[in-house]
Amino acid sequence: MRSRSDVLETAVLGLLNESPLHGYELRKRLNLVLGSFRAFSYGTLYPALKALVMRGLIATTENDPPTPPPRKGKTGIPGRTAKPKPIGRRRVVYELTAEGKEHLQTVLATAGPAAWEDDNFDVRFALFAQTDAETRLRVLEGRRTRLTERLETFRQAATHPRSRLDEYALELQRFGLERAEREVHWLDSLISTERGRAAAQNRPSQQEQTKKERG
Amino acid sequence: MRSRSDVLETAVLGLLNESPLHGYELRKRLNLVLGSFRAFSYGTLYPALKALVMRGLIATTENDPPTPPPRKGKTGIPGRTAKPKPIGRRRVVYELTAEGKEHLQTVLATAGPAAWEDDNFDVRFALFAQTDAETRLRVLEGRRTRLTERLETFRQAATHPRSRLDEYALELQRFGLERAEREVHWLDSLISTERGRAAAQNRPSQQEQTKKERG
DNA sequence: GTTAGCATGTAAGGAGTTACATGATTTT
DNA sequence: AAAATCATGTAACTCCTTACATGCTAAC
């Protein structure tokens, strides 16, 4: 039983499933994809990669040709250079093993609290392109339920004020509530989009099919 | 030099400055005031209180009369009860020391990155009622600058896409940007409110003052 | 009388950061 | 020649959570 917060693990496996990468590049992609929500340092990433290798989910491919990039200008004096081309410095490229792919599929197929709690939702969403439509829908709905529950709790705390909050604390609260409400709206629109897709997929009946054939 | 993330410390001092409290109650208030942004467990709070006591910033007032609450019904058979009223269980009440008050004032008077970075901003804002107007304004402005900087970086990453993001990763990014933009708007309205107040305070000229005297 | 909530604490450990250490390559 | 950026890693430390341990008090 893994600890519920495998954010980094899932993110790494997800990105490596798109294409093999070395650590440095992986980190940049990670922090781009997870965006403003989360950022990891090398001190976190490298040990995590090590652990994944030890668990057999990813493997290293040492020193691939480090892409002698299509240079402009003097592309590298041809002939007589002495050194036997020591081009490219050490780079450890990681890719998924078969086991890793399998594990990732299992993770991406689960639609439980582990998928929609605060910590994990962002990563799971970022990897939706690799997730099947039904799971996407269930994760979105789970997240929505979770958020509305929380909104309910907070609204009750606001109407039943067991201890008065001052002006600024209240404003902070109000802003937090509004933010959560916006996320619910966002989820609503995503959910309806997904439902539309699911419907279109389940009903590629006469018309659709003939259209496709003609197109 | 304290580590930059004294969120809990600041929050505790701020709440205790409003009124002395015992740990259990303190935690509830903490998680109410910091709202959806942050929540602390007892395993965090109690050791932190211990540390603050050791640093001389707060002091314990053992076993104050534990508020025999105004009961309905049989309020407690009067006369002949044997036990010498062992009412009220152990409760450790904390309050600020003079040193603690001083320290809090110093903290609340600083308007640097430590006040407006993600981690700290919420707490500092929640304690704005105890912060002077000028500092409030500078903290809000600092936060605003910080956020717009970040927005700039992200927008550039979006227009200069060094690596294509798929549909869902893009949508996540878009949502994150929108959220940050909303926070900027929120800050704008807060800033203009604060400026209004500062102006009103700097110019409590004839009319204002006579009003006050009459009120 | 037993469940739920009040109340205080400790121990172990997870998750991540910062700072350090090292060095190659590219750009200015 | 210097500065920036690429690239990989480790060690120490911080912050916080979970799970445990304990016991009171109120309500049903």
Side-chain angles (χ1 to χ4, degrees):
Chain A
M1 199 95 316
R2 318 214 33 61
S3 67
R4 81 271 87 91
S5 185
D6 313 311
V7 180
L8 183 53
E9 177 185 309
T10 308
V12 165
L13 295 181
L15 285 187
L16 291 184
N17 197 33
E18 287 166 5
S19 77
L21 291 169
H22 59 273
Y24 192 86
E25 180 68 19
L26 184 53
R27 187 204 174 217
K28 283 196 306 184
R29 296 266 204 134
L30 220 50
N31 293 342
L32 176 69
V33 168
L34 300 186
S36 31
F37 298 97
R38 207 175 289 269
F40 293 100
S41 64
Y42 298 118
T44 311
L45 179 59
Y46 285 116
L49 287 171
K50 210 173 162 185
L52 285 171
V53 169
M54 283 199 289
R55 283 169 56 206
L57 300 182
I58 64 179
T60 60
T61 325
E62 277 285 341
N63 231 29
D64 69 322
T67 49
R71 289 259 191 48
K72 317 163 191 178
K74 39 173 181 178
T75 314
I77 304 94
R80 110 245 95 99
T81 27
K83 281 187 191 167
K85 272 191 173 180
I87 32 134
R89 74 175 242 72
R90 179 176 161 231
R91 269 166 155 202
V92 184
V93 175
Y94 297 91
E95 59 186 320
L96 290 192
T97 61
E99 233 187 304
K101 281 179 193 174
E102 207 185 317
H103 181 72
L104 177 62
Q105 289 318 312
T106 313
V107 170
L108 293 185
T110 62
W116 58 63
E117 285 302 314
D118 287 341
D119 279 346
N120 300 273
F121 177 72
D122 297 335
V123 205
R124 288 298 304 272
F125 186 85
L127 298 179
F128 261 16
Q130 301 179 51
T131 307
D132 73 290
E134 219 176 296
T135 310
R136 287 200 298 255
L137 200 48
R138 270 191 287 146
V139 170
L140 290 173
E141 285 165 347
R143 176 79 184 151
R144 194 193 186 283
T145 304
R146 181 75 189 77
L147 279 181
T148 49
E149 273 169 22
R150 201 186 298 171
L151 274 171
E152 214 27 62
T153 313
F154 267 89
R155 286 223 191 79
Q156 256 161 16
T159 33
H160 266 272
R162 33 169 80 226
S163 60
R164 284 256 166 270
L165 294 178
D166 61 69
E167 185 192 353
Y168 291 102
L170 265 178
E171 179 57 31
L172 187 62
Q173 203 114 88
R174 207 198 50 65
F175 183 64
L177 276 175
E178 196 199 299
R179 174 177 282 192
E181 277 159 10
R182 290 214 170 265
E183 189 170 342
V184 171
H185 291 333
W186 181 63
L187 289 170
D188 282 340
S189 87
L190 291 169
I191 287 170
S192 87
T193 304
E194 290 293 338
R195 280 213 236 272
R197 274 179 204 173
Q201 210 172 20
N202 287 349
R203 186 236 322 118
S205 40
Q206 289 102 328
Q207 295 197 356
E208 299 284 331
Q209 287 207 319
T210 39
K211 250 185 205 165
K212 222 178 221 164
E213 275 156 31
R214 278 193 243 125
Chain B
M1 197 99 314
R2 316 213 37 59
S3 68
R4 81 271 86 90
S5 184
D6 312 310
V7 180
L8 182 54
E9 177 185 311
T10 307
V12 166
L13 295 181
L15 285 186
L16 291 184
N17 196 32
E18 287 167 5
S19 76
L21 292 169
H22 60 274
Y24 193 86
E25 180 69 19
L26 184 54
R27 187 202 176 221
K28 282 196 305 184
R29 296 266 203 136
L30 219 50
N31 294 343
L32 176 69
V33 169
L34 300 186
S36 32
F37 298 97
R38 203 175 293 268
F40 293 100
S41 63
Y42 298 118
T44 310
L45 179 59
Y46 285 115
L49 286 170
K50 210 175 164 185
L52 284 171
V53 170
M54 282 199 290
R55 283 169 56 206
L57 300 181
I58 64 179
T60 60
T61 324
E62 278 285 343
N63 232 26
D64 69 322
T67 50
R71 288 259 190 47
K72 317 163 190 179
K74 40 176 179 177
T75 315
I77 304 96
R80 106 252 89 104
T81 27
K83 281 188 192 166
K85 272 191 176 181
I87 31 134
R89 75 175 241 72
R90 181 175 160 232
R91 266 167 158 201
V92 184
V93 176
Y94 297 91
E95 60 186 318
L96 290 192
T97 62
E99 232 186 305
K101 281 179 193 174
E102 208 185 317
H103 181 72
L104 178 61
Q105 289 318 312
T106 313
V107 170
L108 293 184
T110 63
W116 58 62
E117 285 301 315
D118 288 341
D119 280 347
N120 300 272
F121 177 73
D122 297 336
V123 203
R124 288 298 305 273
F125 186 84
L127 298 178
F128 261 16
Q130 301 177 51
T131 307
D132 73 289
E134 220 177 295
T135 309
R136 289 200 296 254
L137 200 49
R138 270 191 286 146
V139 170
L140 291 173
E141 285 165 347
R143 176 80 184 152
R144 194 193 187 282
T145 304
R146 181 74 189 80
L147 279 180
T148 49
E149 273 169 21
R150 199 185 297 172
L151 275 170
E152 213 28 60
T153 313
F154 267 89
R155 285 221 191 81
Q156 257 162 16
T159 34
H160 265 271
R162 32 169 82 226
S163 60
R164 285 256 167 270
L165 294 177
D166 62 69
E167 186 192 352
Y168 291 102
L170 265 178
E171 178 58 30
L172 187 62
Q173 202 114 87
R174 207 199 50 66
F175 183 64
L177 276 175
E178 196 200 298
R179 175 178 280 192
E181 277 160 10
R182 291 217 169 265
E183 189 171 341
V184 172
H185 291 333
W186 181 62
L187 289 169
D188 282 339
S189 88
L190 291 169
I191 287 169
S192 88
T193 304
E194 290 293 338
R195 280 214 237 272
R197 273 177 205 174
Q201 210 174 22
N202 287 347
R203 187 235 320 118
S205 38
Q206 290 100 330
Q207 295 195 358
E208 301 284 333
Q209 289 210 317
T210 38
K211 251 185 203 163
K212 220 178 221 166
E213 276 156 30
R214 278 193 243 125

